Amino acid sequence: MSEDRRLDVLRAIVEDYVATREPVGSRALVERHSLGVSPATIRNDMAALEDAGYIVQPHTSAGRVPTDTGYRLFVDRLATVKPLSAPERRAIESFMEDAADLDDVVDRAVRLLAQLTHQVAVVQYPSLRRTAVRHVELVPVGERHLLVVIITDHGRVEQRTLELADPLDATVVARLRTRLNVAAAGRRLAELDGVLADLADAFADADAPLVRAVVGVVEDTLARESEERVVMAGTANLVRGGGHDFAHTISPVLEALEEQVVLLRLLTEMAEDEAAVSVRIGRETQHEGLVETSFVTTGYGGPGDGGGAAVARIGSVGPLRMDYPGTIATVRAVARYLSRILAG
């Protein structure tokens, strides 16, 4: 059996199984695909694919379904990714362009991706570990209360209210705001420790408590908010479209998806892949609850298509029997629009 023909037969089995949700037999392959060989040859090819572990017969007298290994070979050998239709591209652009702020952008992106793929959509918030400080604003909100607002270069906003022992001096607050932004603007979290530590030296001793308090709340906010966050939408899609993939129970899948630490671990690992779009199939997720799912992700917020400078990831979780070319194209398209908006 030739390598090319084996891949053609495997591709046909995957495509038919995705479309019909039913095991695929040799007769169906002959009727639906122009493989250029006899039914007997196709049966021999299917037997060889089964021996190699790429397809399996779920029960006697049934057709074949792809295994995790078969899906992996199919994904790795994808020659083209299904292009989005013009209506799909217009829908993404019109839905995303009116977003008001970062929270709205992320919320729209995750809902849109779930709607387009009919799967579970996952969007990782831009992490303060990978974003830089754009501006720090100090706003007196009373005689002894100061609002500290931190804005990152990707539009993330964090704010804390600081209660002080002494009345605020507007002139000192303005001077501190200026010096704080000169020191912090454009720097990432890891670069701020040494920069902010000596800020109090530039002020009179009487103002040092205010400076230290503000620096402390900035550092504390950045440290606490550097924890990763994930937003998810479309879990009901798994129930509606799971089919054979979730024949045993969907509960472990939903429980795994609810564990942020599981999703964050996967997103972190997938960020290390060289491919612009990363795919984890079945047991490649290394989580028992996700063995009947596949996870497609790419980076956003950085230059290029899912490049290493991305600040976070966006992805889709669905059954093993997913439309891989279509899901890859949709995830990549939404990520590009998300990056474009954040670059603003």
Side-chain angles (χ1 to χ4, degrees):
M1 176 179 61
S2 72
E3 176 75 10
D4 289 342
R5 194 175 70 236
R6 180 180 69 178
L7 291 174
D8 288 341
V9 172
L10 176 62
R11 184 185 69 252
I13 292 172
V14 171
E15 291 174 350
D16 280 8
Y17 185 54
V18 168
T20 67
R21 305 186 186 183
E22 297 292 337
V24 182
S26 58
R27 179 178 298 178
L29 292 179
V30 172
E31 294 173 351
R32 296 172 186 159
H33 301 273
S34 300
L35 295 172
V37 293
S38 68
T41 299
I42 290 178
R43 285 193 293 271
N44 290 335
D45 289 348
M46 292 177 70
L49 286 168
E50 187 170 10
D51 289 342
Y54 295 119
I55 59 175
V56 67
Q57 188 175 31
H59 51 82
T60 306
S61 301
R64 306 304 196 272
V65 300
T67 63
D68 289 11
T69 306
Y71 283 122
R72 168 51 62 191
L73 181 60
F74 172 79
V75 170
D76 288 346
R77 297 299 180 91
L78 279 178
T80 59
V81 174
K82 184 189 302 182
L84 295 186
S85 66
E88 287 174 325
R89 291 195 300 272
R90 286 195 298 269
I92 294 174
E93 186 171 3
S94 62
F95 190 73
M96 295 291 293
E97 66 183 2
D98 295 329
D101 53 27
L102 179 62
D103 289 338
D104 192 19
V105 169
V106 170
D107 179 67
R108 285 172 181 250
V110 74
R111 288 190 289 120
L112 177 64
L113 185 56
Q115 180 180 347
L116 291 174
T117 62
H118 305 292
Q119 296 168 169
V120 177
V122 176
V123 179
Q124 181 183 22
Y125 255 81
S127 170
L128 291 180
R129 296 184 188 278
R130 293 184 294 274
T131 56
V133 174
R134 175 186 293 171
H135 184 73
V136 179
E137 186 59 51
L138 305 179
V139 184
V141 291
E143 188 178 44
R144 289 182 170 84
H145 289 84
L146 185 66
L147 179 65
V148 181
V149 183
I150 303 167
I151 306 171
T152 74
D153 60 348
H154 287 95
R156 183 168 172 176
V157 178
E158 303 294 339
Q159 59 185 40
R160 297 289 184 273
T161 300
L162 186 60
E163 184 175 1
L164 302 161
D166 299 317
L168 289 167
D169 183 325
T171 302
V172 175
V173 170
R175 183 165 167 248
L176 177 56
R177 180 191 302 114
T178 299
R179 286 190 171 270
L180 191 58
N181 279 289
V182 169
R187 296 181 183 271
R188 297 179 184 272
L189 175 62
E191 302 171 325
L192 290 178
D193 290 343
V195 172
L196 298 181
D198 300 328
L199 200 60
D201 295 341
F203 290 81
D205 290 344
D207 301 324
L210 169 64
V211 178
R212 285 194 292 268
V214 170
V215 168
V217 79
V218 169
E219 292 177 336
D220 181 63
T221 299
L222 293 175
R224 287 192 286 122
E225 294 302 327
S226 65
E227 295 301 318
E228 308 284 2
R229 285 192 286 164
V230 173
V231 179
M232 186 168 56
T235 52
N237 290 333
L238 290 181
V239 180
R240 289 192 289 264
H244 168 79
D245 301 73
F246 301 132
H248 302 295
T249 175
I250 199 170
S251 296
V253 178
L254 297 177
E255 290 172 3
L257 292 176
E258 289 174 357
E259 295 181 33
Q260 295 253 325
V261 65
V262 172
L263 293 178
L264 288 169
R265 175 185 61 79
L266 274 168
L267 290 167
T268 299
E269 291 175 355
M270 295 172 82
E272 298 175 358
D273 289 355
E274 294 183 1
V277 180
S278 178
V279 182
R280 290 285 190 275
I281 299 170
R283 295 194 179 278
E284 293 175 355
T285 62
Q286 298 183 5
H287 191 285
E288 192 62 32
L290 297 176
V291 295
E292 295 178 337
T293 68
S294 289
F295 201 0
V296 177
T297 73
T298 191
Y300 74 88
D305 184 14
V311 298
R313 294 189 78 78
I314 180 172
S316 185
V317 184
L320 292 171
R321 179 199 44 76
M322 82 162 46
D323 174 11
Y324 290 95
T327 300
I328 290 170
T330 305
V331 167
R332 191 164 60 185
V334 175
R336 284 173 173 168
Y337 278 98
L338 190 52
S339 298
R340 188 182 306 171
I341 291 171
L342 292 180

